[in-house]
């Protein structure tokens, strides 16, 4: 992974998180339907899936070459943001529901009748398993983490285990995840394939491939790809599923392969730092923005379509999510170190030397 490619993928990652934010902000109860024409939230999630597969393949080849290192990194990455997101969601949902229960009623598609059970199932990523469909409070974006976490487990079993243990763990993980989660696994695997095959493309074809993918994506969105391949809703399928998911995933994967074979220009230092900084908040922005949008949509005075209401809700929710994420996400390194110490204590392994600690930090 070159520094240039890493920066461009960082920009893509933050752009996807921002697209999810805008798609949720554009709903009628939050902004009176501002930007209602924009419906890129699901496409952005598919971008996340492909990027996730690409990055996981990269780190497992370079940085996280043992099951311990891989597992600790994934757990720290997830729970460093999930735990604060749970606390924030529960707190804001409680206050917002007390102020205006209408914005937190089941008519919006989310129930708080069994909140403790919903949080517990979500904490172990069973919120989308089989025919279960629950969320941790009013935090809609969390649905995709149930998918991604099980993809991490399946990948770890396939790469780091051998023989019967590998078969047993893969089968057990697949049974726990259920068919709905496994249905979108090919999209995530497209990211793995993009990493594996990126060097197979002649570099002279990098730019044409990027242009073809962009043109294909624009054409697909213009004709309404999701509706074009629409499938009737079912409890056995991912939410809002259509065969368009696989087409979009393939276009994103090929786009990344093309980028990897292009002569990419680096921007100035300031812009690079800005992109890196924003990308470092993308996971937090993704997981924190929805409860903030619901809360500020409730407490900010005025009708949703009033100009001041729209500006305040947009700024407070976006600024709050990015600000909190910038405080939360850097703590994953500390959490990883704490998890490593706890694991070594449990396994009665000697603590790593000072040199090893520096290498693992």
């Amino acid at each position: 992974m070159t520094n240039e490619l890493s920066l461009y993928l960082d920009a893509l990652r933050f752009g996807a998180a921002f697209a999810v934010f805008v798609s949720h902000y554009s709903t009628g109860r939050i902004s009176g339907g501002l930007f209602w024409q924009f419906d890129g939230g699901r496409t952005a999630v598919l971008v996340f899936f492909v990027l996730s597969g690409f990055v996981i393949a990269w780190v497992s080849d370079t940085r996280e070459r043992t099951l311990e290192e891989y597992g600790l990194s994934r757990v720290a990455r997830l729970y460093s943001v999930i735990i604060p997101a749970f606390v924030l969601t529960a707190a804001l949902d409680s206050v917002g529901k007390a102020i205006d229960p209408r914005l937190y009623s089941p008519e919006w598609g989310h129930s708080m009748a069994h909140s403790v059970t919903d949080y517990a199932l979500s904490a172990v990523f069973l919120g989308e398993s089989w025919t279960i469909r629950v969320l941790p409070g009013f935090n809609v974006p969390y649905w995709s983490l149930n998918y991604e976490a099980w993809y991490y487990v399946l990948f770890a079993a396939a790469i780091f285990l051998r023989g019967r243990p590998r078969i047993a763990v893969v089968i057990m993980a697949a049974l726990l995840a259920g068919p709905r989660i496994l249905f979108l696994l090919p999209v995530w695997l497209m990211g793995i394939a993009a990493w594996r095959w990126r060097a197979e493309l002649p570099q002279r074809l990098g730019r044409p491939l990027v242009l073809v993918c962009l043109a294909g994506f624009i054409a697909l969105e213009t004709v309404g790809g999701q509706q074009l391949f629409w499938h009737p809703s079912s409890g056995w399928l991912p939410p809002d599923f259509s065969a368009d998911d696989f087409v979009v995933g393939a276009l994103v994967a090929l786009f990344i392969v093309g980028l990897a074979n292009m002569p990419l220009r680096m921007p100035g230092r300031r812009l690079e730092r800005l992109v890196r900084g924003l990308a470092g908040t993308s996971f937090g922005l993704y997981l924190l923005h929805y409860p903030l949008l619901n809360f500020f949509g409730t407490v900010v005075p005025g009708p949703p379509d009033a100009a001041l209401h729209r500006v305040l809700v947009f700024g407070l929710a976006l600024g709050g999510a990015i600000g909190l994420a910038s405080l939360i996400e850097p703590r994953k390194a500390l959490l990883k170190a704490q998890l490593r110490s706890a694991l070594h204590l449990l396994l009665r392994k000697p603590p790593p030397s000072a040199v090893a600690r520096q290498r693992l930090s």
Side-chain angles (χ1 to χ4, degrees), residues 164-205:
R164 291 182 179 177
R166 173 163 61 183
I167 296 173
V169 173
V170 167
I171 292 175
M172 186 181 303
L175 289 174
L176 285 171
R180 187 194 302 154
I181 289 176
L182 296 179
F183 214 85
L184 286 181
L185 178 59
V187 177
W188 194 82
L189 292 176
M190 290 174 188
I192 302 286
W195 170 257
R196 298 279 189 257
W197 299 339
R198 73 195 186 286
E200 303 299 322
L201 183 75
Q203 289 195 350
R204 69 179 185 278
L205 297 181

Side-chain angles (χ1 to χ4, degrees), residues 25-43:
Y25 170 79
S26 66
T27 58
R29 74 180 193 276
I30 300 297
S31 66
L34 185 66
F35 307 133
W36 64 268
Q37 302 94 335
F38 180 80
D39 189 22
R42 183 171 185 83
T43 298

Side-chain angles (χ1 to χ4, degrees), residues 89-211:
T89 302
L92 294 184
D93 284 358
S94 298
V95 176
K97 189 177 182 181
I99 296 172
D100 189 352
R102 292 173 300 172
L103 287 185
Y104 293 83
S105 60
E107 69 182 271
W108 297 112
H110 320 300
S111 174
M112 298 175 68
H114 307 287
S115 59
V116 174
T117 302
D118 294 350
Y119 274 93
L121 288 171
S122 298
V124 292
F125 308 108
L126 294 175
E128 285 280 319
S129 295
W130 292 87
T131 56
I132 299 172
R133 187 159 280 172
V134 299
L135 294 166
F138 267 47
N139 199 327
V140 173
Y142 195 89
W143 73 268
S144 67
L145 264 67
N146 295 289
Y147 290 67
E148 197 159 342
W150 286 111
Y151 300 158
Y152 292 163
V153 174
L154 290 166
F155 179 84
I159 296 298
F160 296 109
L161 301 181
R162 296 290 182 270
R164 291 182 179 177
R166 173 163 61 183
I167 296 173
V169 173
V170 167
I171 292 175
M172 186 181 303
L175 289 174
L176 285 171
R180 187 194 302 154
I181 289 176
L182 296 179
F183 214 85
L184 286 181
L185 178 59
V187 177
W188 194 82
L189 292 176
M190 290 174 188
I192 302 286
W195 170 257
R196 298 279 189 257
W197 299 339
R198 73 195 186 286
E200 303 299 322
L201 183 75
Q203 289 195 350
R204 69 179 185 278
L205 297 181
R207 190 184 302 275
L209 181 59
V210 166
L211 295 175

Side-chain angles (χ1 to χ4, degrees), residues 20 28 199 225 244 272:
V20 174
D244 179 60
E272 181 182 358

